[in-house]
Structures are given as C-alpha cells and as structure tokens.
Amino acid sequence: MFALIQRGQIYADQHGWPVLIHSSTSEIVRYWRQGRINTASIDRFNNDFEYLNHREAAQIRAELEKSEHIKSLRAQRAA
C-alpha cells in the first residue's frame, strides 16, 4: 500500500507512543517524539509506525496524561 507521509500527520511508533511528522524525503522521515526530533529510514518507518487518526491520537494522549498523573500522585503519597 502506498501512503503519503506529510508534515503534521500523527503516527504511533512500535511502543505505542504518538509521533508527529516533522518532514520527510524519499529516503528518511523526521518526526517529533516527546519533544525531540528523531529520524527513521523510509523502510523502518513503514515497518515500525502506524497511522493514527485524530480521535485515536487524542485517546492515546489522554491515556498517557492519566498515567503520568497517577505516577505523580503516587510520588506525592510516598513523600
């Protein structure tokens, strides 16, 4: 299957983290993940990343925020 990889699209990496496309060429894809720009070859990107629509991306972000909030509450309770 052929799909255009364009700036601003949202994908999930192999660990389920949402990534935002920064730029792409015919050989590499640059993407934002946790505030850093990373690079992947087109082959690796096609194998390890999955396209997310905005609803799926919002759900993943909400789950990650909830997880971080629970961690901070546990840290406060332990202190």
Side-chain angles (χ1 to χ4, degrees), residues 23-61:
S23 61
S24 64
T25 67
S26 61
E27 298 175 8
I28 62 167
V29 176
R30 289 183 184 89
Y31 59 93
W32 287 93
R33 181 177 186 264
Q34 296 181 323
R36 298 179 63 189
I37 294 179
N38 299 292
T39 304
S41 69
I42 289 291
D43 290 335
R44 182 176 151 246
F45 189 85
N46 285 332
N47 289 327
D48 294 348
F49 291 76
E50 179 181 339
Y51 178 77
L52 297 175
N53 63 38
H54 288 287
R55 184 186 56 75
E56 292 169 324
Q59 182 179 359
I60 289 173
R61 278 192 210 105

